[in-house]
């Protein structure tokens, strides 16, 4: 995902939309995707243990 940066016309300061509620800093995956994949992995390994 690309995040658009904005420049203040008065002071020249740059800023961008805060996405920390969706994505951790320096992360390529959303928090929701990480949570869902952890859930699926734990379900899979739980079922695998029952088969053994």
């Amino acid at each position: 995902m690309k995040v658009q940066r904005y420049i203040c016309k008065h002071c020249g300061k740059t800023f961008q939309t805060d996405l920390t509620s969706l994505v951790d800093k320096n992360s390529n995956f959303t928090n929701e995707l990480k949570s869902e994949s952890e859930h699926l992995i734990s379900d899979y390994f739980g079922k695998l243990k029952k088969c053994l």
Side-chain angles (χ1 to χ4, degrees):
M1 170 168 52
K2 291 186 178 187
V3 180
Q4 184 173 353
R5 292 188 180 185
Y6 302 93
I7 301 173
C8 177
K9 292 181 180 181
H10 298 289
C11 67
K13 181 179 177 181
T14 61
F15 60 97
Q16 62 191 31
T17 305
D18 181 24
L19 298 175
T20 54
S21 64
L22 300 173
V23 180
D24 292 334
K25 188 173 182 177
N26 297 323
S27 179
N28 293 327
F29 303 101
T30 63
N31 296 333
E32 182 180 356
L33 177 64
K34 289 189 281 189
S35 175
E36 185 64 26
S37 61
E38 288 172 356
H39 176 73
L40 292 172
I41 289 169
S42 66
D43 283 354
Y44 173 76
F45 282 117
K47 292 175 183 178
L48 184 61
K49 287 181 181 179
K50 289 180 185 178
C51 292
L52 298 174

